[in-house]
C-alpha cells in the first residue's frame, strides 16, 4: 500500500537527482550521497518556478484575448446601434457588420505574427 508508493517516490527522486547531477555537473554520484537532497530541492524549485511562469503566461494570454474580443464586440454593438438609430437599411447594416468582422479577424491574425 502506502510503503510501496513511498518507495516508488524515493526511487523517482533518486533517479531524477542522479540524472540532473550527471547532466549538470558531469559526475556520477551514487544515490544517497549527501548532496542528493540539495539536488532534489533544486529540481522541485525549478519545477515550481516553471509551473508558476507557464501559468502566469497562460492567464495573461487569456486575458489579452478576452479583452480584445470584448472590445471588438462592444465596438460592433455601438456601430449597429448607431446604424439602427439613423435608420440605415438592413442590407447596408449587414455589409458594415461583415466588414467589421473581417477587419477584426485580420487584426487578430496580425497580432499573432
Amino acid at each position: 500500500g502506502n510503503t510501496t508508493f513511498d518507495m516508488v517516490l524515493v526511487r523517482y527522486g533518486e533517479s531524477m537527482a542522479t540524472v540532473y547531477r550527471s547532466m549538470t555537473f558531469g559526475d556520477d554520484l551514487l544515490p544517497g550521497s549527501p548532496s542528493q537532497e540539495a539536488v532534489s530541492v533544486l529540481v522541485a524549485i525549478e519545477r515550481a518556478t516553471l509551473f508558476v511562469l507557464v501559468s502566469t503566461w497562460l492567464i495573461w494570454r487569456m486575458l489579452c484575448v478576452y479583452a480584445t474580443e470584448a472590445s471588438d464586440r462592444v465596438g460592433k454593438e455601438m456601430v449597429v446601434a448607431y446604424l439602427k438609430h439613423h435608420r440605415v437599411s438592413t442590407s447596408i447594416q449587414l455589409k458594415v457588420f461583415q466588414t467589421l468582422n473581417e477587419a477584426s479577424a485580420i487584426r487578430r491574425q496580425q497580432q499573432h505574427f
Side-chain angles (χ1 to χ4, degrees):
N2 196 17
T3 56
T4 306
F5 179 75
D6 292 341
M7 288 175 44
V8 168
L9 204 56
V10 167
R11 286 186 182 175
Y12 174 75
E14 290 173 354
S15 65
M16 287 301 295
T18 303
V19 168
Y20 187 82
R21 270 194 312 276
S22 65
M23 287 178 13
T24 306
F25 305 115
D27 52 355
D28 291 331
L29 297 176
L30 295 174
S33 63
S35 64
Q36 180 179 353
E37 290 79 21
V39 173
S40 297
V41 169
L42 183 62
V43 169
I45 289 172
E46 284 181 343
R47 287 182 183 175
T49 303
L50 182 64
F51 175 76
V52 168
L53 289 174
V54 169
S55 299
T56 304
W57 181 80
L58 285 174
I59 290 170
W60 177 256
R61 284 298 302 153
M62 286 189 326
L63 288 174
C64 289
V65 167
Y66 287 130
T68 303
E69 288 179 9
S71 173
D72 288 348
R73 184 175 180 175
V74 169
K76 289 175 190 175
E77 289 174 355
M78 290 173 62
V79 168
V80 170
Y82 177 84
L83 293 175
K84 284 183 180 180
H85 177 72
H86 291 284
R87 297 186 179 148
V88 175
S89 70
T90 306
S91 62
I92 300 293
Q93 286 182 25
L94 288 174
K95 287 180 184 178
V96 169
F97 196 69
Q98 182 181 5
T99 303
L100 287 174
N101 283 336
E102 290 173 1
S104 295
I106 290 171
R107 193 172 1 158
R108 279 193 302 267
Q109 206 172 32
Q110 286 175 343
Q111 286 176 348
H112 291 293
F113 294 106

